[in-house]
Amino acid sequence: MAKIGKLVVVGVGLIGGSFALAARRANAVARVVGVGRSRANVERARALGVIDAAAAADAVHGADLVFLAMPVGQTAAVLAEIAPHLGADTVVTDAGSTKSDVVAAARAALGAAFARFVPGHPIAGAEHSGVAAARADLFDGKRTVLTPLAETDAAAAARVHALWRACGAEVREMTPEAHDRVFAAVSHLPHVLAYALVHDIATRAGAQELFDYAASGFRDFTRIASSHPEMWRDICIANRAALIDELDRYGEVLREVRALLAAGDAAGARASVRRRARRAQPLARAAMTLAFAVQPGGALRGCVRVPGDKSISHRAIMLGSIARGTTRIGGFLEGEDALATMNVFRALGVAIDGPDRGRVTVHGVGMRGLRAPQQVLDCGNSGTSMRLITGLLAAQPFDAELDGDASLRRRPMRRIADPLALMGARIETATGGRPPLRIHGNPRLRAIDYALPVASAQVKSALLLAALYANGTTRVTEPAPTRDHTERMLAGFGYAVRREGATIELTGGGELRAADIEVPADISSAAFFMVGASIAEGSDVTLEHIGLNPTRAGVIEILRLMGADLAVANERAVGGEPVGDVRVRAARLTGIEIPERLVPLAIDEFPALFVAAACARGRTVLRGAAELRVKESDRIQVMADGLALLGVRAAPADDGIVIEGGAVGGGTVDAHGDHRIAMAFAMAGLVAGAPVTVRDCANVATSFPGFVALARTAGLRIAEACP
Ligand code: S3P
């Protein structure tokens, strides 16, 4: 990073002072000049050695970088004061806690210099304020959000970005509006609530006595309410639009909880608050742009336990909910997809405790116990949630609406809507047969004989769930075997399911009995480590407690055909599913023609397998895999594009791809929000000729929370970064 000659800090308090100290620690600046309203404070900063010189506002003349760190309420006035003195190359950035108003003020005050204004917000604070509390390590490991605009000069943004990184911060980017929404929810609203609550109690008669009895929970409110009142007043005013939305939303929550409590429904009240909190999490995460930065080299070693199986976690919640009795689940995947399913069932009136370190308790309501939801059911990114739940809701005596994120809204739903219509349910879709879905349930469904046009476990499972309620015996015939977790788990819940060749048969009208379920580790998550360890020289990794259901284990067979060294040990059965440990050692891989019969048995593992193919000697050919085009992204195109960017020859076809193995280069690829593509390219970084950056990776949390930390422990040189 080029050294900054002159840095001017306007407002030398905790943040401004710490920034100056951190920049000096990184040897990123030659000279720091402090400017501030209080002359005495700036002099103090100089005396403490935080800045080299104290000056007036015109000191910004000749500065390479101006850092604004005063309260947001003063931004407009300060910008107007410094604007006439800014040089043609001076970059301006700020540390304000709100962004839309700061951007508006900068646009009004800076004229042409606005292109070199890079709005920022370091998420760091300390117990004490003021320059005396400034520390060079204040930003270490903390996040700084930058909100550059389309017109922001790229070089200016890159400079500010690099400086924050040098100061120890992890930099994220988002739009000013997204920033303000996120912080209204997680920072500004909590401050308003704390001030309001503490004020309300402090102004009652007998307040002193109330405070004497305040327990630790209330002390958290008093701690927040003792924050600088003027500063928070300014922040709240500056971000009032987003904050008012949050207050309205929170008011609704309080009203709902009050109503549930008044009705004596404590479980409903608890579920309601929890459900709303959970819905906010993915929103906050999605607003952040997350990328992976992978340094080449390294090997994967040691024992790794990846999180629980996603397919089984979904089904455990679904079947547990409609069973009679209490289902206890262990090893549950605490990823966003399975949590989406959990929240949908809470909205359908099921009490669910957890998750707590993989433990979940589902208080089943029985086959007829689901209740009409009060809101649209949000499936997030999860196709499994939407398709399977639609099957179940098709048979209910109420209507419901299911929706999801932008990726889910692009996925085909006629494949379930059409056969469910044959059974007597009516399902409305948006144009092109896509979500949102409006389900008009019919408690008197008819059994059908149905030959699946595509090999899809989701469609098969949706029909089997509807069939539980149908009048008669439903027969579903698969064109090729697909994962059979639904069949196995139904049997575990005491429901008879018969298989005759390619046909699965089930008679409606029975009952499910609660069962305890131990979820094995997800072979689809383990697949990234199988591929990483196979391609990176010196690797020797053992993947523990992996689900090895033959309808899921195609990845092992394909990798073995390519010459991989995989050894399965400790094979055992856990809750009706085969489980084992898989040891993977590096090997020389060779390109193959992937047998079509293995496609449905490895359907989620192709992004990882394409990376294996890119590192293999010779050509790998995949055919009969058109389904890959309608997953969380078009996995054929997105992988082909990414591989090409890394210098690998990859020719996409309608139903597959041809990959010429060879050297993998470095570069930046886009995961298009697809969790499995993000993790596949992260593994490619092990053997790349130069660093690999993978953009748009936040959705890794849908299936593999903790991926970065686990992969790093195993030896992948990966960090979360900003693209
Ligand atoms: C799944 C089935 C598969 C798979 C998905 C999970 C399931 O989808 O890709 O990740 O849990 O039933 P399709 O049925 O669309 O092939």
Coordinates of all heavy atoms in Angstrom, one line a residue, residues 289-343:
T289 N -21.6 -7.9 1.9 CA -21.0 -8.6 0.8 C -19.9 -9.4 1.4 O -19.0 -8.9 1.9 CB -20.4 -7.6 -0.2 OG1 -21.2 -6.5 -0.2 CG2 -20.3 -8.2 -1.5
L290 N -20.0 -10.7 1.3 CA -19.0 -11.6 1.8 C -18.2 -12.3 0.7 O -18.8 -12.8 -0.2 CB -19.6 -12.6 2.7 CG -18.7 -13.6 3.4 CD1 -17.7 -12.9 4.3 CD2 -19.4 -14.7 4.1
A291 N -16.9 -12.2 0.8 CA -16.1 -12.9 -0.2 C -15.1 -13.8 0.6 O -14.8 -13.6 1.8 CB -15.3 -11.9 -1.0
F292 N -14.6 -14.8 -0.1 CA -13.5 -15.6 0.5 C -12.2 -15.2 -0.2 O -12.2 -15.1 -1.5 CB -13.7 -17.1 0.2 CG -14.9 -17.7 1.0 CD1 -15.5 -18.9 0.6 CD2 -15.4 -17.1 2.1 CE1 -16.5 -19.5 1.2 CE2 -16.5 -17.6 2.8 CZ -17.1 -18.8 2.3
A293 N -11.1 -15.1 0.5 CA -9.8 -14.9 -0.1 C -9.0 -16.1 0.3 O -8.8 -16.4 1.5 CB -9.2 -13.6 0.5
V294 N -8.5 -16.8 -0.7 CA -7.8 -18.0 -0.5 C -6.3 -17.9 -1.0 O -6.2 -17.5 -2.2 CB -8.5 -19.2 -1.1 CG1 -7.7 -20.5 -0.7 CG2 -9.9 -19.3 -0.7
Q295 N -5.4 -18.1 -0.2 CA -4.0 -18.2 -0.6 C -3.6 -19.6 -1.0 O -4.0 -20.5 -0.4 CB -3.1 -17.8 0.6 CG -3.3 -16.4 1.1 CD -3.0 -15.3 0.1 OE1 -2.0 -15.4 -0.7 NE2 -3.8 -14.3 0.0
P296 N -2.9 -19.7 -2.1 CA -2.6 -21.0 -2.6 C -1.6 -21.7 -1.6 O -1.0 -21.1 -0.8 CB -2.0 -20.8 -3.9 CG -1.8 -19.4 -4.1 CD -2.5 -18.6 -3.0
G297 N -1.5 -23.0 -1.8 CA -0.5 -23.8 -1.0 C -1.3 -24.4 0.2 O -2.4 -24.2 0.4
G298 N -0.5 -25.2 1.0 CA -1.2 -25.8 2.1 C -1.8 -27.1 1.8 O -1.9 -27.4 0.6
A299 N -2.2 -27.9 2.8 CA -2.8 -29.2 2.6 C -3.8 -29.4 3.7 O -3.8 -28.6 4.6 CB -1.7 -30.2 2.7
L300 N -4.7 -30.3 3.5 CA -5.8 -30.5 4.5 C -5.3 -31.7 5.3 O -5.0 -32.8 4.8 CB -7.1 -30.8 3.8 CG -7.6 -29.7 2.9 CD1 -9.0 -30.1 2.4 CD2 -7.7 -28.4 3.6
R301 N -5.3 -31.5 6.6 CA -4.9 -32.6 7.5 C -5.7 -32.7 8.8 O -6.4 -31.7 9.1 CB -3.4 -32.4 7.9 CG -2.4 -32.3 6.7 CD -1.0 -32.2 7.1 NE -0.5 -33.5 7.7 CZ -0.1 -34.5 7.0 NH1 -0.1 -34.5 5.7 NH2 0.3 -35.6 7.6
G302 N -5.7 -33.8 9.4 CA -6.3 -34.0 10.7 C -7.7 -34.6 10.6 O -8.2 -35.1 9.6
C303 N -8.5 -34.5 11.7 CA -9.8 -35.0 11.8 C -10.8 -33.9 11.7 O -10.6 -32.8 12.3 CB -10.1 -35.7 13.1 SG -9.2 -37.2 13.2
V304 N -11.8 -34.0 10.8 CA -12.8 -32.9 10.6 C -14.2 -33.5 10.8 O -14.5 -34.5 10.2 CB -12.6 -32.4 9.2 CG1 -13.7 -31.5 8.8 CG2 -11.3 -31.7 9.0
R305 N -15.0 -32.8 11.6 CA -16.4 -33.2 11.7 C -17.2 -32.1 11.1 O -17.3 -31.0 11.7 CB -16.8 -33.4 13.1 CG -18.2 -33.6 13.4 CD -18.7 -35.1 13.5 NE -20.1 -35.2 13.7 CZ -20.7 -35.9 14.7 NH1 -19.9 -36.6 15.5 NH2 -22.0 -36.0 14.7
V306 N -17.8 -32.3 9.9 CA -18.6 -31.2 9.3 C -20.0 -31.2 9.9 O -20.4 -32.2 10.6 CB -18.7 -31.4 7.7 CG1 -17.3 -31.4 7.1 CG2 -19.4 -32.7 7.4
P307 N -20.8 -30.1 9.7 CA -22.1 -30.1 10.4 C -23.1 -31.1 9.9 O -22.8 -31.8 8.9 CB -22.6 -28.7 10.1 CG -21.4 -27.9 9.6 CD -20.4 -28.9 9.0
G308 N -24.2 -31.2 10.5 CA -25.2 -32.2 10.3 C -25.8 -32.2 8.9 O -25.8 -31.1 8.2
D309 N -26.4 -33.3 8.5 CA -26.9 -33.4 7.1 C -28.2 -32.5 7.0 O -29.1 -32.5 7.8 CB -27.3 -34.9 6.9 CG -27.8 -35.2 5.5 OD1 -28.9 -34.9 5.1 OD2 -26.9 -35.6 4.7
K310 N -28.2 -31.8 5.9 CA -29.2 -30.8 5.6 C -30.5 -31.5 5.3 O -31.6 -31.2 5.9 CB -28.8 -29.9 4.5 CG -29.7 -28.7 4.2 CD -29.0 -27.6 3.6 CE -28.6 -27.7 2.2 NZ -29.7 -27.4 1.3
S311 N -30.5 -32.5 4.4 CA -31.7 -33.2 4.0 C -32.4 -33.8 5.2 O -33.6 -33.8 5.4 CB -31.4 -34.2 3.0 OG -31.1 -33.7 1.8
I312 N -31.6 -34.5 6.1 CA -32.1 -35.2 7.2 C -32.6 -34.2 8.3 O -33.7 -34.4 8.9 CB -31.1 -36.2 7.8 CG1 -30.7 -37.2 6.7 CG2 -31.6 -36.8 9.0 CD1 -29.7 -38.2 7.1
S313 N -31.9 -33.1 8.4 CA -32.4 -32.1 9.4 C -33.8 -31.5 9.0 O -34.6 -31.4 9.9 CB -31.3 -30.9 9.5 OG -30.1 -31.4 10.0
H314 N -33.9 -31.2 7.7 CA -35.3 -30.7 7.3 C -36.4 -31.7 7.7 O -37.4 -31.4 8.2 CB -35.3 -30.6 5.8 CG -34.6 -29.4 5.2 ND1 -35.0 -28.1 5.5 CD2 -33.6 -29.3 4.3 CE1 -34.3 -27.3 4.8 NE2 -33.4 -27.9 4.1
R315 N -36.1 -33.0 7.3 CA -37.1 -34.0 7.4 C -37.4 -34.3 8.9 O -38.6 -34.6 9.3 CB -36.7 -35.3 6.7 CG -36.8 -35.1 5.2 CD -35.9 -36.1 4.4 NE -36.1 -36.1 3.0 CZ -35.6 -35.2 2.1 NH1 -34.8 -34.2 2.6 NH2 -35.8 -35.3 0.8
A316 N -36.4 -34.2 9.8 CA -36.6 -34.4 11.2 C -37.6 -33.4 11.8 O -38.5 -33.8 12.6 CB -35.3 -34.4 11.9
I317 N -37.5 -32.2 11.3 CA -38.4 -31.1 11.8 C -39.8 -31.4 11.3 O -40.8 -31.4 12.0 CB -38.0 -29.7 11.4 CG1 -36.6 -29.4 12.0 CG2 -39.0 -28.7 11.7 CD1 -36.6 -29.0 13.4
M318 N -39.9 -31.7 10.0 CA -41.2 -31.9 9.4 C -41.9 -33.1 10.0 O -43.1 -33.0 10.4 CB -41.0 -32.1 7.9 CG -40.4 -30.9 7.1 SD -40.2 -31.3 5.4 CE -39.2 -29.9 4.9
L319 N -41.3 -34.2 10.0 CA -42.0 -35.4 10.5 C -42.2 -35.3 12.0 O -43.3 -35.7 12.5 CB -41.2 -36.7 10.2 CG -41.0 -37.0 8.7 CD1 -40.5 -38.4 8.5 CD2 -42.3 -36.7 7.9
G320 N -41.2 -34.8 12.7 CA -41.4 -34.6 14.2 C -42.6 -33.7 14.5 O -43.4 -33.9 15.4
S321 N -42.9 -32.7 13.6 CA -44.0 -31.8 13.8 C -45.3 -32.4 13.7 O -46.2 -32.1 14.5 CB -43.9 -30.6 12.8 OG -42.8 -29.8 13.1
I322 N -45.4 -33.4 12.7 CA -46.8 -34.0 12.5 C -46.9 -35.3 13.2 O -47.9 -36.0 13.1 CB -47.1 -34.1 11.0 CG1 -46.0 -34.9 10.3 CG2 -47.3 -32.8 10.4 CD1 -46.4 -35.4 8.9
A323 N -45.8 -35.7 14.0 CA -45.9 -36.9 14.8 C -46.7 -36.7 16.1 O -46.8 -35.5 16.5 CB -44.5 -37.4 15.1
R324 N -47.1 -37.8 16.7 CA -47.7 -37.6 18.1 C -46.5 -37.9 19.0 O -45.8 -38.8 18.9 CB -48.7 -38.7 18.3 CG -49.7 -38.3 19.3 CD -51.1 -38.6 19.0 NE -51.2 -40.0 18.4 CZ -51.8 -41.0 19.1 NH1 -52.3 -40.8 20.3 NH2 -51.9 -42.2 18.5
G325 N -46.3 -36.9 20.0 CA -45.3 -37.1 21.0 C -44.1 -36.2 20.7 O -44.1 -35.3 19.8
T326 N -43.0 -36.4 21.5 CA -41.9 -35.5 21.5 C -40.7 -36.1 20.7 O -40.3 -37.2 21.1 CB -41.5 -35.1 22.9 OG1 -42.6 -34.6 23.6 CG2 -40.3 -34.1 23.0
T327 N -40.2 -35.4 19.7 CA -39.1 -35.9 19.0 C -37.8 -35.1 19.4 O -37.8 -33.9 19.4 CB -39.3 -35.7 17.4 OG1 -40.3 -36.6 17.0 CG2 -38.1 -35.9 16.6
R328 N -36.8 -35.9 19.8 CA -35.5 -35.2 20.1 C -34.5 -35.4 19.0 O -34.3 -36.6 18.6 CB -35.0 -35.8 21.5 CG -35.9 -35.3 22.6 CD -35.3 -35.6 24.0 NE -36.3 -35.1 24.9 CZ -37.5 -35.7 25.2 NH1 -37.8 -36.9 24.6 NH2 -38.3 -35.2 26.1
I329 N -33.9 -34.3 18.6 CA -33.0 -34.4 17.5 C -31.6 -34.0 18.0 O -31.5 -33.0 18.7 CB -33.4 -33.5 16.3 CG1 -34.9 -33.7 15.9 CG2 -32.5 -33.6 15.1 CD1 -35.4 -32.6 15.0
G330 N -30.6 -34.8 17.6 CA -29.2 -34.5 17.9 C -28.4 -34.3 16.6 O -28.8 -34.9 15.6
G331 N -27.4 -33.4 16.6 CA -26.6 -33.2 15.4 C -27.3 -32.4 14.3 O -26.9 -32.4 13.2
F332 N -28.4 -31.7 14.7 CA -29.2 -30.9 13.8 C -28.3 -29.8 13.1 O -27.5 -29.2 13.8 CB -30.3 -30.2 14.6 CG -31.2 -29.3 13.7 CD1 -32.2 -29.9 13.0 CD2 -31.1 -28.0 13.8 CE1 -33.1 -29.1 12.2 CE2 -31.9 -27.1 13.0 CZ -32.9 -27.7 12.2
L333 N -28.5 -29.6 11.8 CA -27.7 -28.6 11.1 C -28.3 -27.2 11.5 O -29.4 -26.9 11.1 CB -27.8 -28.8 9.6 CG -27.3 -27.7 8.7 CD1 -25.8 -27.5 8.9 CD2 -27.6 -27.9 7.3
E334 N -27.5 -26.4 12.1 CA -27.9 -25.0 12.4 C -27.6 -24.0 11.3 O -27.0 -23.0 11.5 CB -27.3 -24.6 13.8 CG -27.8 -25.5 14.9 CD -27.3 -25.0 16.3 OE1 -27.0 -23.8 16.4 OE2 -27.3 -25.9 17.2
G335 N -27.9 -24.5 10.1 CA -27.7 -23.6 8.9 C -29.0 -22.9 8.6 O -30.1 -23.4 9.0
E336 N -28.9 -21.9 7.7 CA -30.1 -21.1 7.5 C -31.3 -21.9 6.8 O -32.4 -21.6 7.1 CB -29.8 -19.9 6.6 CG -29.1 -18.8 7.4 CD -28.4 -17.8 6.6 OE1 -28.6 -17.8 5.3 OE2 -27.6 -17.0 7.1
D337 N -30.9 -22.9 6.0 CA -32.0 -23.6 5.3 C -32.8 -24.4 6.3 O -34.1 -24.4 6.3 CB -31.4 -24.6 4.3 CG -31.1 -23.8 3.0 OD1 -31.1 -22.6 3.0 OD2 -30.8 -24.5 2.0
A338 N -32.1 -25.2 7.2 CA -32.9 -26.0 8.1 C -33.6 -25.1 9.2 O -34.7 -25.4 9.6 CB -31.9 -27.0 8.8
L339 N -33.0 -24.0 9.5 CA -33.7 -23.0 10.4 C -34.9 -22.4 9.8 O -35.9 -22.2 10.4 CB -32.7 -21.9 10.8 CG -31.5 -22.4 11.7 CD1 -30.5 -21.2 11.9 CD2 -32.0 -22.9 13.0
A340 N -34.9 -22.3 8.4 CA -36.1 -21.8 7.7 C -37.2 -22.8 7.9 O -38.3 -22.4 8.2 CB -35.8 -21.5 6.3
T341 N -36.9 -24.0 7.7 CA -37.9 -25.1 7.9 C -38.5 -25.0 9.4 O -39.7 -25.1 9.6 CB -37.3 -26.5 7.6 OG1 -37.2 -26.6 6.2 CG2 -38.3 -27.6 8.1
M342 N -37.5 -24.9 10.3 CA -38.0 -24.8 11.7 C -38.9 -23.6 12.0 O -39.9 -23.8 12.6 CB -36.7 -24.7 12.6 CG -36.9 -24.6 14.0 SD -35.4 -24.4 14.9 CE -34.9 -26.0 15.2
N343 N -38.6 -22.5 11.4 CA -39.4 -21.3 11.6 C -40.8 -21.5 10.9 O -41.8 -21.0 11.5 CB -38.7 -20.1 11.1 CG -37.6 -19.7 12.1 OD1 -37.6 -20.1 13.2 ND2 -36.6 -19.0 11.6

